Amino acid sequence: MNQEHVQQLEAAIQAVAQRKVTNFYFVACGGSLANVTPAQYILDREIEIPSAAYSSNEFIHRSPKALGPSSVVITCSHSGNTPETVAATTFAREKGALTICLTNLVDSPLWEAAEFKLHYNYAPYGEALRGEETSMAILYRLVFGILQTLYPNEKYANAISSIENGLHGVYERNKALTLEAAKAFGRNYKREKLIYTMASGINYSVAYSFAICLLQEMQWIHSSAIHAGEYFHGPFEITDFDVPFIVIKGLGETRPLDDRAYDFCVKYSDKTILIDAETFDLEGISPDVRPYFTNLVAGVVLRQYAQHLSEETGHALSVRRYMWKMEY
Amino acid sequence: MNQEHVQQLEAAIQAVAQRKVTNFYFVACGGSLANVTPAQYILDREIEIPSAAYSSNEFIHRSPKALGPSSVVITCSHSGNTPETVAATTFAREKGALTICLTNLVDSPLWEAAEFKLHYNYAPYGEALRGEETSMAILYRLVFGILQTLYPNEKYANAISSIENGLHGVYERNKALTLEAAKAFGRNYKREKLIYTMASGINYSVAYSFAICLLQEMQWIHSSAIHAGEYFHGPFEITDFDVPFIVIKGLGETRPLDDRAYDFCVKYSDKTILIDAETFDLEGISPDVRPYFTNLVAGVVLRQYAQHLSEETGHALSVRRYMWKMEY
């Protein structure tokens, strides 16, 4: 790991350890919100201190009563310029909360707004990038670092070591493993006007991110992320032979929800696409924390699916009609 | 208010008051989850004790670490038979939590599973039903009753009095006020294959419920509930002149999010349908709590929209192809 990243993480983790924390808030917008939400899932399962995830503007306007000097607020914006997330960070800091930001851009408005600052690396699709320096790796390193400091435990040490030593190889190997499937997805689904996504537990936010960022935003394809447990209480009635669903199956505790949703979906939709964490090569990720890493791998795998969909539709993932082009 | 309901509520509220509560969980599936989620919003804004809402099976399998004897778990199932919600109630009770259920069916499995039981009334669309005896009224009466007992305050007393004395008239008057708009919606949108919904804050769950229950489940129309703040971070790129959006504008703290989303949406979609709480007749609801009641009225208004959509599509709201017809 890059020494600058290590020092930034250490400073943030020590600051958290020195407070009597009563709640954690994860706050961001869109794809960045999807990125930070898995950390809330991990805390929800691991510790009794409450945590919650909010879209930045909802956080500010809702103004949770419990937000205050004993809160830790973790915000994320790739550009460091998302106005709502910068405002949410300032808002939280004014309330006395400990603020930690993640961003790709040092010295950005978000960087200035937060008390503790974590930089992560990024590279355009296909260019070299170390897995342990990505946004998700830095976030996980922060969260497991906080857990390990507050409640030392072999599992948390294993998670940290998995990020630092295993994640990069896992990303590369699973991209290679799923390349042909990604190409087939692009060929077979390029005419679709709507593709649903479905998942549960820690993977739900990957389904959300694929629906709102890759499909709606970058391909102008209609979508909705359906929670695999909620599917049976309304959405499943929309299932038909020609309605496409991407179903993500995780590992561990919430997999039974994914299994059930997939089993139903594949029976009635001829266009059910399965992303199954059981088929991932997770060598290098400690077995006791693998369920917490499936979403990271599913995200990388699906990013490749989007790439090949885009190549087949001829609609580049970089094309926008509104975003960054006007005031809104 | 029905004396049986009053006694059930009083018993549940006193039980909560006698515990040192460290967290509240609201747990249900589909439309019932959408129903209970606004209570989480109210607690989030009003008190420092943390609260969260989960789909029942996610709750069980995620198994939040903080769930225990100092938790209050409020579950809801209309039929009282939803297996996941019955299981979630049993799961919570086994963990020592105080369990309170809401259901239309006395002596149902859910009724048996929970320690405290709240019955609510229901009537098919168009038949007589007292507003203060509906599921939302009983839930709100519970939540404001808990708040008033723990933190006595004129606002909470006003909310309780609004439910008991104002809600029924508000429902009836707003149904009458929006009848022509509901008919026009049915006529104008009967050919649509996809209709998005959008809202924020306490109204988000109305958008969710309309998307998954009324549109997907009961009309087989594709849909997704978009959070008005998230709209600008992905979903808005799908906006086009012929893409329908139902936008709900609330009152109070999160209305700026709704205003912004509506202003953008109406500029680029010729099919933007506005449900605006500012046009509701809220006489009888105390002004200091009106933002917390807009979702109840929006729900009743949209139920009427669905009715008239159904009359125009010829697809009765009672038709199902999978639900209750097979094992799943």
Side-chain angles (χ1 to χ4, degrees):
Chain A
M1 242 184 159
N2 172 324
Q3 275 315 301
E4 223 167 335
H5 288 170
V6 170
Q7 286 162 15
Q8 290 166 0
L9 283 160
E10 216 33 59
I13 291 165
Q14 286 314 318
V16 173
Q18 281 156 28
R19 277 204 195 194
K20 173 142 182 46
V21 179
T22 58
N23 42 47
F24 289 92
Y25 295 107
F26 296 91
V27 180
C29 293
S32 290
L33 175 59
N35 277 354
V36 296
T37 302
Q40 192 278 326
Y41 181 90
I42 294 170
L43 293 189
D44 211 16
R45 276 187 58 79
E46 295 292 329
I47 62 174
E48 292 185 19
I49 301 171
S51 54
Y54 295 92
S55 185
S56 303
N57 229 2
E58 173 88 19
F59 179 70
I60 297 168
H61 289 265
R62 179 189 288 224
S63 186
K65 180 89 166 184
L67 174 64
S70 61
S71 305
V72 173
V73 178
I74 296 166
T75 58
C76 180
S77 158
H78 181 69
S79 67
N81 283 306
T82 310
E84 301 97 309
T85 307
V86 176
T89 308
T90 302
F91 170 72
R93 199 166 173 181
E94 283 169 3
K95 292 259 188 184
L98 176 66
T99 51
I100 303 170
C101 76
L102 288 92
T103 178
N104 180 237
L105 191 61
V106 171
D107 296 336
S108 60
L110 182 61
W111 190 269
E112 297 305 326
E115 191 176 356
F116 292 88
K117 308 134 196 294
L118 306 179
H119 171 260
Y120 61 77
N121 283 348
Y122 170 77
Y125 183 79
E127 294 185 17
L129 175 66
R130 292 295 308 174
E132 70 275 14
E133 298 179 353
T134 57
S135 58
M136 293 307 292
I138 299 292
L139 173 73
Y140 268 43
R141 187 61 190 71
L142 171 70
V143 165
F144 284 109
I146 290 170
L147 288 172
Q148 175 68 348
T149 303
L150 297 181
Y151 314 93
N153 181 322
E154 196 188 344
K155 185 167 76 168
Y156 304 143
N158 290 343
I160 291 168
S161 151
S162 298
I163 298 162
E164 294 181 353
N165 307 312
L167 196 57
H168 183 74
V170 165
Y171 280 164
E172 296 304 312
R173 295 198 308 278
N174 285 285
K175 275 192 274 184
L177 260 177
T178 57
L179 178 61
E180 289 311 314
K183 288 180 180 173
F185 171 74
R187 278 194 307 274
N188 296 335
Y189 291 92
K190 66 181 168 189
R191 311 263 189 249
E192 301 298 339
K193 301 296 175 217
L194 177 146
I195 302 174
Y196 284 113
T197 64
M198 186 148 61
S200 71
I202 200 162
N203 285 292
Y204 178 75
S205 55
V206 183
Y208 179 70
S209 159
F210 197 77
I212 72 157
C213 297
L214 278 312
L215 293 175
Q216 289 181 313
E217 175 184 331
M218 302 188 194
Q219 288 291 289
W220 304 350
I221 291 174
H222 295 296
S223 189
S224 179
I226 298 171
H227 183 276
E230 289 287 279
Y231 179 54
F232 297 98
H233 300 277
F236 79 148
E237 280 285 332
I238 207 75
T239 311
D240 211 332
F241 74 95
D242 59 349
V243 179
F245 287 83
I246 297 175
V247 184
I248 306 169
K249 285 195 194 184
L251 295 177
E253 60 278 353
T254 61
R255 186 174 173 93
L257 280 73
D258 308 329
D259 280 336
R260 182 180 172 218
Y262 176 77
D263 288 348
F264 185 91
C265 193
V266 77
K267 204 160 150 187
Y268 297 99
S269 163
D270 298 339
K271 297 183 173 176
T272 307
I273 301 126
L274 176 61
I275 306 290
D276 186 352
E278 269 198 355
T279 67
F280 294 164
D281 172 356
L282 296 176
E283 191 64 39
I285 307 296
S286 181
D288 53 350
V289 292
R290 283 187 185 172
Y292 289 155
F293 283 75
T294 54
N295 53 312
L296 276 59
V297 182
V300 163
V301 166
L302 279 167
R303 177 65 185 74
Q304 184 164 259
Y305 273 53
Q307 186 64 30
H308 289 280
L309 181 63
S310 153
E311 287 176 16
E312 294 283 346
T313 59
H315 182 119
L317 294 173
S318 57
V319 171
R320 302 289 184 283
R321 43 185 159 183
Y322 311 120
M323 193 177 269
W324 313 312
K325 296 203 155 170
M326 53 184 70
E327 291 281 319
Y328 46 82
Chain B
M1 243 185 157
N2 172 324
Q3 276 314 302
E4 223 167 336
H5 288 171
V6 170
Q7 286 162 15
Q8 290 166 0
L9 283 160
E10 216 33 59
I13 291 165
Q14 286 314 317
V16 173
Q18 281 156 28
R19 278 205 194 193
K20 173 143 182 47
V21 179
T22 59
N23 42 47
F24 288 92
Y25 295 107
F26 296 91
V27 180
C29 293
S32 290
L33 175 59
N35 277 354
V36 296
T37 302
Q40 192 278 327
Y41 181 90
I42 294 169
L43 293 189
D44 211 16
R45 277 187 58 79
E46 295 292 329
I47 62 174
E48 292 185 20
I49 301 171
S51 55
Y54 295 92
S55 186
S56 303
N57 229 2
E58 173 88 19
F59 179 70
I60 297 168
H61 289 265
R62 179 189 288 225
S63 186
K65 180 90 165 183
L67 174 63
S70 61
S71 304
V72 173
V73 177
I74 296 166
T75 58
C76 179
S77 158
H78 181 69
S79 67
N81 283 306
T82 310
E84 301 97 309
T85 307
V86 176
T89 307
T90 302
F91 170 72
R93 199 166 173 181
E94 284 169 2
K95 293 259 188 185
L98 176 66
T99 51
I100 303 170
C101 76
L102 288 93
T103 178
N104 180 236
L105 191 60
V106 171
D107 296 336
S108 60
L110 182 62
W111 190 269
E112 297 304 326
E115 190 176 357
F116 292 88
K117 308 134 196 293
L118 305 178
H119 171 260
Y120 61 77
N121 283 348
Y122 170 77
Y125 183 79
E127 294 184 18
L129 175 67
R130 292 295 308 174
E132 70 275 14
E133 298 180 353
T134 57
S135 59
M136 293 307 291
I138 299 291
L139 173 73
Y140 269 43
R141 187 61 189 72
L142 171 70
V143 165
F144 284 109
I146 291 170
L147 288 172
Q148 175 68 348
T149 304
L150 297 181
Y151 314 93
N153 180 322
E154 196 188 345
K155 186 167 76 169
Y156 305 143
N158 290 343
I160 292 168
S161 150
S162 298
I163 298 162
E164 294 180 353
N165 307 312
L167 196 56
H168 183 74
V170 165
Y171 280 165
E172 296 304 312
R173 295 198 308 278
N174 285 285
K175 275 191 275 185
L177 260 177
T178 57
L179 178 61
E180 289 310 314
K183 288 180 180 173
F185 171 74
R187 278 194 308 274
N188 296 334
Y189 292 92
K190 66 181 168 188
R191 311 263 188 249
E192 300 298 339
K193 301 297 175 216
L194 176 146
I195 301 173
Y196 284 113
T197 65
M198 186 148 60
S200 71
I202 200 162
N203 285 291
Y204 178 75
S205 55
V206 183
Y208 179 70
S209 160
F210 197 77
I212 71 157
C213 298
L214 279 311
L215 293 175
Q216 289 181 313
E217 174 184 330
M218 302 188 194
Q219 287 291 289
W220 304 350
I221 291 174
H222 295 296
S223 189
S224 180
I226 297 170
H227 183 276
E230 288 287 279
Y231 179 54
F232 297 98
H233 300 277
F236 79 149
E237 280 285 332
I238 207 74
T239 311
D240 211 333
F241 74 96
D242 59 349
V243 179
F245 287 83
I246 297 175
V247 184
I248 305 169
K249 285 195 194 184
L251 294 177
E253 60 279 353
T254 61
R255 186 174 173 93
L257 280 73
D258 309 329
D259 280 336
R260 182 180 172 218
Y262 176 77
D263 288 347
F264 185 91
C265 192
V266 76
K267 204 160 149 188
Y268 297 100
S269 163
D270 298 339
K271 297 183 173 177
T272 307
I273 301 126
L274 176 62
I275 306 291
D276 186 352
E278 269 197 355
T279 67
F280 294 164
D281 172 356
L282 297 175
E283 191 64 39
I285 308 296
S286 181
D288 53 350
V289 292
R290 284 186 185 172
Y292 289 155
F293 283 75
T294 54
N295 52 312
L296 276 60
V297 182
V300 164
V301 165
L302 279 167
R303 177 65 186 74
Q304 184 164 259
Y305 273 53
Q307 186 64 30
H308 289 279
L309 181 63
S310 153
E311 288 176 16
E312 294 283 347
T313 59
H315 182 120
L317 294 173
S318 57
V319 171
R320 302 288 185 283
R321 43 185 159 182
Y322 311 120
M323 193 177 269
W324 313 312
K325 296 203 156 171
M326 53 184 71
E327 290 281 320
Y328 47 82

PDB file of all heavy atoms in Angstrom, chain B residues 82-104:
ATOM      1  N   THR B  82     -47.700 -13.159   6.408  1.00  0.00           N
ATOM      2  CA  THR B  82     -46.457 -13.071   5.640  1.00  0.00           C
ATOM      3  C   THR B  82     -45.365 -13.857   6.370  1.00  0.00           C
ATOM      4  O   THR B  82     -44.947 -13.468   7.465  1.00  0.00           O
ATOM      5  CB  THR B  82     -46.040 -11.591   5.488  1.00  0.00           C
ATOM      6  OG1 THR B  82     -47.166 -10.854   5.017  1.00  0.00           O
ATOM      7  CG2 THR B  82     -44.867 -11.451   4.542  1.00  0.00           C
ATOM      8  N   PRO B  83     -44.900 -14.970   5.786  1.00  0.00           N
ATOM      9  CA  PRO B  83     -44.001 -15.857   6.541  1.00  0.00           C
ATOM     10  C   PRO B  83     -42.734 -15.157   7.035  1.00  0.00           C
ATOM     11  O   PRO B  83     -42.309 -15.376   8.172  1.00  0.00           O
ATOM     12  CB  PRO B  83     -43.659 -16.963   5.533  1.00  0.00           C
ATOM     13  CG  PRO B  83     -44.745 -16.927   4.518  1.00  0.00           C
ATOM     14  CD  PRO B  83     -45.206 -15.501   4.442  1.00  0.00           C
ATOM     15  N   GLU B  84     -42.133 -14.311   6.182  1.00  0.00           N
ATOM     16  CA  GLU B  84     -40.888 -13.648   6.578  1.00  0.00           C
ATOM     17  C   GLU B  84     -41.115 -12.707   7.759  1.00  0.00           C
ATOM     18  O   GLU B  84     -40.237 -12.539   8.605  1.00  0.00           O
ATOM     19  CB  GLU B  84     -40.305 -12.824   5.422  1.00  0.00           C
ATOM     20  CG  GLU B  84     -39.985 -13.614   4.160  1.00  0.00           C
ATOM     21  CD  GLU B  84     -41.098 -13.524   3.132  1.00  0.00           C
ATOM     22  OE1 GLU B  84     -42.278 -13.783   3.493  1.00  0.00           O
ATOM     23  OE2 GLU B  84     -40.797 -13.200   1.974  1.00  0.00           O
ATOM     24  N   THR B  85     -42.273 -12.064   7.800  1.00  0.00           N
ATOM     25  CA  THR B  85     -42.537 -11.093   8.867  1.00  0.00           C
ATOM     26  C   THR B  85     -42.887 -11.805  10.174  1.00  0.00           C
ATOM     27  O   THR B  85     -42.494 -11.358  11.261  1.00  0.00           O
ATOM     28  CB  THR B  85     -43.646 -10.111   8.424  1.00  0.00           C
ATOM     29  OG1 THR B  85     -43.265  -9.557   7.158  1.00  0.00           O
ATOM     30  CG2 THR B  85     -43.835  -8.998   9.431  1.00  0.00           C
ATOM     31  N   VAL B  86     -43.595 -12.913  10.058  1.00  0.00           N
ATOM     32  CA  VAL B  86     -43.856 -13.733  11.246  1.00  0.00           C
ATOM     33  C   VAL B  86     -42.515 -14.239  11.795  1.00  0.00           C
ATOM     34  O   VAL B  86     -42.237 -14.147  13.000  1.00  0.00           O
ATOM     35  CB  VAL B  86     -44.796 -14.915  10.906  1.00  0.00           C
ATOM     36  CG1 VAL B  86     -44.977 -15.819  12.123  1.00  0.00           C
ATOM     37  CG2 VAL B  86     -46.137 -14.402  10.394  1.00  0.00           C
ATOM     38  N   ALA B  87     -41.658 -14.728  10.893  1.00  0.00           N
ATOM     39  CA  ALA B  87     -40.346 -15.246  11.317  1.00  0.00           C
ATOM     40  C   ALA B  87     -39.486 -14.140  11.927  1.00  0.00           C
ATOM     41  O   ALA B  87     -38.775 -14.365  12.915  1.00  0.00           O
ATOM     42  CB  ALA B  87     -39.628 -15.890  10.129  1.00  0.00           C
ATOM     43  N   ALA B  88     -39.552 -12.948  11.357  1.00  0.00           N
ATOM     44  CA  ALA B  88     -38.759 -11.825  11.876  1.00  0.00           C
ATOM     45  C   ALA B  88     -39.223 -11.452  13.285  1.00  0.00           C
ATOM     46  O   ALA B  88     -38.414 -11.105  14.156  1.00  0.00           O
ATOM     47  CB  ALA B  88     -38.869 -10.618  10.944  1.00  0.00           C
ATOM     48  N   THR B  89     -40.522 -11.542  13.510  1.00  0.00           N
ATOM     49  CA  THR B  89     -41.075 -11.212  14.825  1.00  0.00           C
ATOM     50  C   THR B  89     -40.625 -12.248  15.858  1.00  0.00           C
ATOM     51  O   THR B  89     -40.194 -11.899  16.972  1.00  0.00           O
ATOM     52  CB  THR B  89     -42.617 -11.155  14.740  1.00  0.00           C
ATOM     53  OG1 THR B  89     -42.974 -10.275  13.668  1.00  0.00           O
ATOM     54  CG2 THR B  89     -43.227 -10.661  16.035  1.00  0.00           C
ATOM     55  N   THR B  90     -40.703 -13.505  15.482  1.00  0.00           N
ATOM     56  CA  THR B  90     -40.252 -14.585  16.365  1.00  0.00           C
ATOM     57  C   THR B  90     -38.755 -14.455  16.654  1.00  0.00           C
ATOM     58  O   THR B  90     -38.310 -14.576  17.804  1.00  0.00           O
ATOM     59  CB  THR B  90     -40.541 -15.949  15.698  1.00  0.00           C
ATOM     60  OG1 THR B  90     -41.943 -16.017  15.429  1.00  0.00           O
ATOM     61  CG2 THR B  90     -40.122 -17.104  16.580  1.00  0.00           C
ATOM     62  N   PHE B  91     -37.988 -14.182  15.606  1.00  0.00           N
ATOM     63  CA  PHE B  91     -36.538 -13.992  15.714  1.00  0.00           C
ATOM     64  C   PHE B  91     -36.219 -12.869  16.706  1.00  0.00           C
ATOM     65  O   PHE B  91     -35.384 -13.022  17.610  1.00  0.00           O
ATOM     66  CB  PHE B  91     -36.010 -13.666  14.309  1.00  0.00           C
ATOM     67  CG  PHE B  91     -34.587 -13.208  14.231  1.00  0.00           C
ATOM     68  CD1 PHE B  91     -33.542 -14.100  14.431  1.00  0.00           C
ATOM     69  CD2 PHE B  91     -34.283 -11.886  13.911  1.00  0.00           C
ATOM     70  CE1 PHE B  91     -32.215 -13.676  14.331  1.00  0.00           C
ATOM     71  CE2 PHE B  91     -32.968 -11.458  13.807  1.00  0.00           C
ATOM     72  CZ  PHE B  91     -31.932 -12.353  14.023  1.00  0.00           C
ATOM     73  N   ALA B  92     -36.909 -11.753  16.570  1.00  0.00           N
ATOM     74  CA  ALA B  92     -36.658 -10.601  17.444  1.00  0.00           C
ATOM     75  C   ALA B  92     -37.057 -10.922  18.885  1.00  0.00           C
ATOM     76  O   ALA B  92     -36.364 -10.557  19.840  1.00  0.00           O
ATOM     77  CB  ALA B  92     -37.432  -9.385  16.933  1.00  0.00           C
ATOM     78  N   ARG B  93     -38.168 -11.616  19.022  1.00  0.00           N
ATOM     79  CA  ARG B  93     -38.648 -11.947  20.372  1.00  0.00           C
ATOM     80  C   ARG B  93     -37.691 -12.911  21.060  1.00  0.00           C
ATOM     81  O   ARG B  93     -37.419 -12.790  22.259  1.00  0.00           O
ATOM     82  CB  ARG B  93     -40.056 -12.543  20.273  1.00  0.00           C
ATOM     83  CG  ARG B  93     -40.806 -12.486  21.576  1.00  0.00           C
ATOM     84  CD  ARG B  93     -42.277 -12.761  21.376  1.00  0.00           C
ATOM     85  NE  ARG B  93     -42.966 -12.869  22.651  1.00  0.00           N
ATOM     86  CZ  ARG B  93     -44.257 -13.130  22.783  1.00  0.00           C
ATOM     87  NH1 ARG B  93     -45.007 -13.294  21.696  1.00  0.00           N
ATOM     88  NH2 ARG B  93     -44.798 -13.214  23.981  1.00  0.00           N
ATOM     89  N   GLU B  94     -37.155 -13.844  20.289  1.00  0.00           N
ATOM     90  CA  GLU B  94     -36.167 -14.777  20.848  1.00  0.00           C
ATOM     91  C   GLU B  94     -34.893 -14.061  21.278  1.00  0.00           C
ATOM     92  O   GLU B  94     -34.193 -14.514  22.177  1.00  0.00           O
ATOM     93  CB  GLU B  94     -35.837 -15.877  19.828  1.00  0.00           C
ATOM     94  CG  GLU B  94     -36.945 -16.923  19.736  1.00  0.00           C
ATOM     95  CD  GLU B  94     -36.781 -17.881  18.559  1.00  0.00           C
ATOM     96  OE1 GLU B  94     -35.775 -17.762  17.823  1.00  0.00           O
ATOM     97  OE2 GLU B  94     -37.667 -18.728  18.378  1.00  0.00           O
ATOM     98  N   LYS B  95     -34.609 -12.947  20.619  1.00  0.00           N
ATOM     99  CA  LYS B  95     -33.430 -12.151  21.004  1.00  0.00           C
ATOM    100  C   LYS B  95     -33.736 -11.267  22.210  1.00  0.00           C
ATOM    101  O   LYS B  95     -32.892 -10.481  22.640  1.00  0.00           O
ATOM    102  CB  LYS B  95     -32.992 -11.266  19.832  1.00  0.00           C
ATOM    103  CG  LYS B  95     -32.446 -12.048  18.649  1.00  0.00           C
ATOM    104  CD  LYS B  95     -30.931 -12.005  18.640  1.00  0.00           C
ATOM    105  CE  LYS B  95     -30.359 -12.618  17.376  1.00  0.00           C
ATOM    106  NZ  LYS B  95     -28.887 -12.672  17.427  1.00  0.00           N
ATOM    107  N   GLY B  96     -34.958 -11.338  22.703  1.00  0.00           N
ATOM    108  CA  GLY B  96     -35.320 -10.572  23.894  1.00  0.00           C
ATOM    109  C   GLY B  96     -35.929  -9.216  23.612  1.00  0.00           C
ATOM    110  O   GLY B  96     -36.263  -8.471  24.537  1.00  0.00           O
ATOM    111  N   ALA B  97     -36.078  -8.874  22.330  1.00  0.00           N
ATOM    112  CA  ALA B  97     -36.639  -7.559  21.980  1.00  0.00           C
ATOM    113  C   ALA B  97     -38.111  -7.477  22.367  1.00  0.00           C
ATOM    114  O   ALA B  97     -38.809  -8.495  22.436  1.00  0.00           O
ATOM    115  CB  ALA B  97     -36.485  -7.314  20.482  1.00  0.00           C
ATOM    116  N   LEU B  98     -38.564  -6.263  22.597  1.00  0.00           N
ATOM    117  CA  LEU B  98     -39.992  -6.008  22.770  1.00  0.00           C
ATOM    118  C   LEU B  98     -40.609  -5.982  21.376  1.00  0.00           C
ATOM    119  O   LEU B  98     -40.187  -5.197  20.523  1.00  0.00           O
ATOM    120  CB  LEU B  98     -40.184  -4.657  23.462  1.00  0.00           C
ATOM    121  CG  LEU B  98     -41.620  -4.171  23.647  1.00  0.00           C
ATOM    122  CD1 LEU B  98     -42.375  -5.075  24.611  1.00  0.00           C
ATOM    123  CD2 LEU B  98     -41.631  -2.740  24.165  1.00  0.00           C
ATOM    124  N   THR B  99     -41.573  -6.855  21.127  1.00  0.00           N
ATOM    125  CA  THR B  99     -42.158  -6.944  19.784  1.00  0.00           C
ATOM    126  C   THR B  99     -43.590  -6.418  19.778  1.00  0.00           C
ATOM    127  O   THR B  99     -44.390  -6.734  20.649  1.00  0.00           O
ATOM    128  CB  THR B  99     -42.151  -8.397  19.272  1.00  0.00           C
ATOM    129  OG1 THR B  99     -42.738  -9.240  20.276  1.00  0.00           O
ATOM    130  CG2 THR B  99     -40.734  -8.882  18.999  1.00  0.00           C
ATOM    131  N   ILE B 100     -43.869  -5.612  18.770  1.00  0.00           N
ATOM    132  CA  ILE B 100     -45.206  -5.037  18.579  1.00  0.00           C
ATOM    133  C   ILE B 100     -45.580  -5.285  17.122  1.00  0.00           C
ATOM    134  O   ILE B 100     -44.810  -4.932  16.225  1.00  0.00           O
ATOM    135  CB  ILE B 100     -45.203  -3.513  18.835  1.00  0.00           C
ATOM    136  CG1 ILE B 100     -44.691  -3.198  20.246  1.00  0.00           C
ATOM    137  CG2 ILE B 100     -46.591  -2.922  18.601  1.00  0.00           C
ATOM    138  CD1 ILE B 100     -44.440  -1.703  20.490  1.00  0.00           C
ATOM    139  N   CYS B 101     -46.725  -5.900  16.884  1.00  0.00           N
ATOM    140  CA  CYS B 101     -47.133  -6.109  15.491  1.00  0.00           C
ATOM    141  C   CYS B 101     -48.358  -5.279  15.151  1.00  0.00           C
ATOM    142  O   CYS B 101     -49.159  -4.944  16.020  1.00  0.00           O
ATOM    143  CB  CYS B 101     -47.416  -7.583  15.210  1.00  0.00           C
ATOM    144  SG  CYS B 101     -48.995  -8.170  15.873  1.00  0.00           S
ATOM    145  N   LEU B 102     -48.477  -4.952  13.882  1.00  0.00           N
ATOM    146  CA  LEU B 102     -49.692  -4.343  13.332  1.00  0.00           C
ATOM    147  C   LEU B 102     -50.230  -5.282  12.269  1.00  0.00           C
ATOM    148  O   LEU B 102     -49.477  -5.733  11.397  1.00  0.00           O
ATOM    149  CB  LEU B 102     -49.397  -2.998  12.665  1.00  0.00           C
ATOM    150  CG  LEU B 102     -49.065  -1.814  13.564  1.00  0.00           C
ATOM    151  CD1 LEU B 102     -47.566  -1.702  13.752  1.00  0.00           C
ATOM    152  CD2 LEU B 102     -49.606  -0.526  12.961  1.00  0.00           C
ATOM    153  N   THR B 103     -51.508  -5.561  12.321  1.00  0.00           N
ATOM    154  CA  THR B 103     -52.110  -6.435  11.317  1.00  0.00           C
ATOM    155  C   THR B 103     -53.612  -6.210  11.266  1.00  0.00           C
ATOM    156  O   THR B 103     -54.214  -5.722  12.225  1.00  0.00           O
ATOM    157  CB  THR B 103     -51.810  -7.924  11.611  1.00  0.00           C
ATOM    158  OG1 THR B 103     -52.455  -8.737  10.619  1.00  0.00           O
ATOM    159  CG2 THR B 103     -52.301  -8.349  12.986  1.00  0.00           C
ATOM    160  N   ASN B 104     -54.185  -6.591  10.139  1.00  0.00           N
ATOM    161  CA  ASN B 104     -55.634  -6.524   9.998  1.00  0.00           C
ATOM    162  C   ASN B 104     -56.308  -7.763  10.584  1.00  0.00           C
ATOM    163  O   ASN B 104     -57.507  -7.774  10.806  1.00  0.00           O
ATOM    164  CB  ASN B 104     -55.991  -6.383   8.505  1.00  0.00           C
ATOM    165  CG  ASN B 104     -57.482  -6.304   8.251  1.00  0.00           C
ATOM    166  OD1 ASN B 104     -58.034  -7.095   7.504  1.00  0.00           O
ATOM    167  ND2 ASN B 104     -58.137  -5.354   8.879  1.00  0.00           N
TER     168      ASN B 104
END
